[in-house]
Amino acid sequence: MSKKSNTKVAPVDEKLPLSQLLMFGFQHVLVMCAGGVAVSLIIGNTLGLSREQIVFLINADLLMAGVATLIQSLGLKGFAGAKAPLIEGASMAAVGSMVAIGLQYKSDASLALGTIFCATFAAGLIGLIIAPFFGKLLRFFPKVVTGTVITTMGICLIPVAIKWSANNNLTSPESKNIFLALFVLVTILILNKVLKGVWNNIAILLGLIIGTIVASMFHMVDYSGVVQAKWISFDMPFYFGKFNFDITAVISMTLVMIVIMTQATGNIIALHEIVGKPLDEKTLVRGLRTDNLTTMIGGMFNTFPRTALGQNIGLVNMTGVKSRYTGAAAGAILLVLGFFPKFAALVAAIPNPVLGGAGFMMFGMIMIGGIKTLGSVQLDGTKNGIIIAVSIGISMITLIIPDFYKGFPSWVNTIFQSGMTTGCITAIVLNLVFNEFGSKKKAELEAEKEVAAGA
């Protein structure tokens, strides 16, 4: 008689019932939709594209987000995929460079997009080649760096929730938007208090739905995009025209891709800390390959650089649902939405203040993850306190003064505009200075003292 296996399945590999997978997956989709739409809207409006063309960009973005998320969650034959619930989307870090490229060809939107997509393809290809090098960086991420990066990530995302709550109107936000965001936040808090089990885990999803219904009652939801969108659309390669090679654009996007990979390294480490899955060099490389592979393919399929989204990492930490199959469910839903513009437009119609209310809790939970990691860091008798304090402090520069690096060369602005990237680089460098350089010599001296004392 065969004995039943008592091997316990790790939470990240747990296979949940289909109904739960769909609910948790849809919750991830609603949380990421603002980021999924924002990049396409910014580029489309900058280049003067029609509403129909912008909707096409959104659908292309959702489709590739689905592909990338599925690869991250399920893996791709040992070549790509971290096999973790990493939800992918278009990276906001690339917007500045893409806008600059597009404005050079603004008189011809097709040529502008052809240049952007060619540079995206090339940057993804170069990133794919150098991904193994980034895998070597894992040894430079001890807990003092990891905890600092995760905490910094949460701090840098909180302003996003504030902007959403103000409906991106930072000069004179309307009170109705603020009240809507607060209503959603309070609703989610109440749901977290009273609901149990699975229902508690989808409090964010319920809060977003309730918030959108209430916003509709007060005519705060624009459904015009839903009405005008087609029912079915197919993302055909080179929809806007052929590639236009511009070496300056390629260099600019490659530099951006390196910045994105630095951020992605922190995101992947953060997610693995949250789900309790050990992260090795090979897994990190597979995760980075996913971003670059789908960025490269995305260049051909009319979309922009990919990266794992921080808001969804916060959602994982908040709900405690760690199964990578929830990521796969989200990827499948995104894939379907990529073929049905009307449904994608419906998700995209969720008002920013509704997302902002949920964002306060999600992004705050990312900080909690970082603080938890830092709690195991030895501070007494070390320089770790300095590493944490300075890294977090410097990461906040562009949160307070967005144009702080405006007078510097463009490459400096590209690298340090993101507080997350700045904090990450600072923490790595300071850890090298205080904990790595000379540490071998110090250890040898301590060993010599012990030998001398024994003698």
Side-chain angles (χ1 to χ4, degrees), residues 274 314-315 317-319 360-370:
I274 291 169
L315 180 62
N317 195 32
M318 177 184 164
T319 62
F360 282 109
M361 183 172 290
M362 292 185 302
F363 302 152
M365 288 304 295
I366 295 179
M367 282 192 288
I368 294 301

Side-chain angles (χ1 to χ4, degrees), residues 15 63 82 99 126 129 150 219 237 241 254 277 285 325 346 362 388 394:
K15 294 184 178 180
L63 183 72
V99 167
I126 294 170
I129 294 170
I150 299 172
H219 309 289
T254 300
K277 179 182 179 181
V285 171
Y325 295 102
L346 183 62
M362 292 185 302
I388 298 166
I394 288 181

Side-chain angles (χ1 to χ4, degrees), residues 29-67:
V29 170
L30 292 186
V31 165
M32 66 81 65
C33 67
V37 169
V39 176
S40 298
L41 284 174
I42 294 170
I43 301 300
N45 287 322
T46 298
L47 299 179
L49 300 183
S50 66
R51 178 183 285 270
E52 183 179 352
Q53 289 174 317
I54 293 175
V55 170
F56 182 91
L57 281 180
I58 293 172
N59 272 92
D61 184 86
L62 294 176
L63 183 72
M64 194 52 59
V67 172

Side-chain angles (χ1 to χ4, degrees), residues 32-323:
M32 66 81 65
C33 67
V37 169
V39 176
S40 298
L41 284 174
I42 294 170
I43 301 300
N45 287 322
T46 298
L47 299 179
L49 300 183
S50 66
R51 178 183 285 270
E52 183 179 352
Q53 289 174 317
I54 293 175
V55 170
F56 182 91
L57 281 180
I58 293 172
N59 272 92
D61 184 86
L62 294 176
L63 183 72
M64 194 52 59
V67 172
T69 302
L70 280 169
I71 293 174
Q72 286 286 29
S73 302
L74 302 178
L76 184 63
K77 295 184 177 180
F79 176 75
K83 291 189 177 181
L86 289 160
I87 312 301
E88 297 276 319
S91 173
M92 287 294 293
V95 168
S97 292
M98 291 192 295
V99 167
I101 295 168
L103 289 177
Q104 294 179 24
Y105 301 90
K106 192 175 181 181
S107 58
D108 188 339
S110 294
L111 187 61
L113 285 171
T115 307
I116 291 171
F117 293 144
C118 179
T120 299
F121 176 88
L125 177 59
I126 294 170
L128 199 60
I129 294 170
I130 66 174
F133 166 75
F134 267 79
K136 303 292 183 185
L137 296 178
L138 190 58
R139 66 177 292 266
F140 299 115
F141 282 84
K143 285 190 178 294
V144 64
V145 174
T146 302
T148 303
V149 170
I150 299 172
T151 305
T152 300
M153 187 189 306
I155 292 172
C156 292
L157 284 172
I158 286 293
V160 175
I162 297 172
K163 291 175 184 176
W164 284 347
S165 299
N167 201 22
N168 293 322
N169 183 358
L170 305 184
T171 53
S172 55
E174 296 182 62
S175 58
K176 64 179 183 180
N177 292 323
I178 306 300
F179 283 125
L180 178 58
L182 289 174
F183 169 78
V184 172
L185 176 59
V186 171
T187 299
I188 294 172
L189 288 172
I190 293 172
L191 291 173
N192 266 279
K193 174 67 176 178
V194 302
L195 296 180
K196 305 296 180 184
V198 174
W199 293 104
N200 184 273
N201 291 331
I202 61 168
I204 291 284
L205 172 61
L206 296 174
L208 292 173
I209 293 173
I210 293 170
T212 303
I213 292 172
V214 171
S216 297
M217 293 168 59
F218 289 92
H219 309 289
M220 296 173 67
V221 184
D222 181 8
Y223 289 110
S224 60
V226 181
V227 175
Q228 297 176 17
K230 295 179 180 178
W231 280 102
I232 300 176
S233 176
F234 296 98
D235 184 10
M236 303 300 293
F238 306 107
Y239 176 84
F240 292 96
K242 62 182 181 180
F243 279 166
N244 177 53
F245 181 79
D246 183 326
I247 186 62
T248 305
V250 170
I251 293 172
S252 175
M253 286 297 286
T254 300
L255 185 59
V256 167
M257 204 64 213
I258 292 173
V259 172
I260 292 173
M261 290 174 73
T262 304
Q263 289 181 352
T265 299
N267 285 344
I268 293 170
I269 291 172
L271 192 277
H272 280 72
E273 285 272 343
I274 291 169
V275 301
K277 179 182 179 181
L279 179 65
D280 56 25
E281 182 181 319
K282 290 182 179 178
T283 303
L284 176 58
V285 171
R286 287 196 295 267
L288 294 174
R289 278 180 182 152
T290 303
D291 289 351
N292 287 285
L293 177 64
T294 51
T295 293
M296 187 178 71
I297 297 172
M300 296 186 289
F301 282 86
N302 319 292
T303 190
F304 313 110
R306 305 286 101 196
T307 192
L309 299 174
Q311 57 261 43
N312 293 88
I313 294 174
L315 180 62
V316 172
N317 195 32
M318 177 184 164
T319 62
V321 180
K322 302 174 182 179
S323 171

Side-chain angles (χ1 to χ4, degrees), residues 373-390:
T373 301
L374 289 174
S376 62
V377 173
Q378 178 64 38
L379 296 178
D380 295 337
T382 70
K383 303 295 184 181
N384 288 332
I386 294 175
I387 296 171
I388 298 166
V390 175

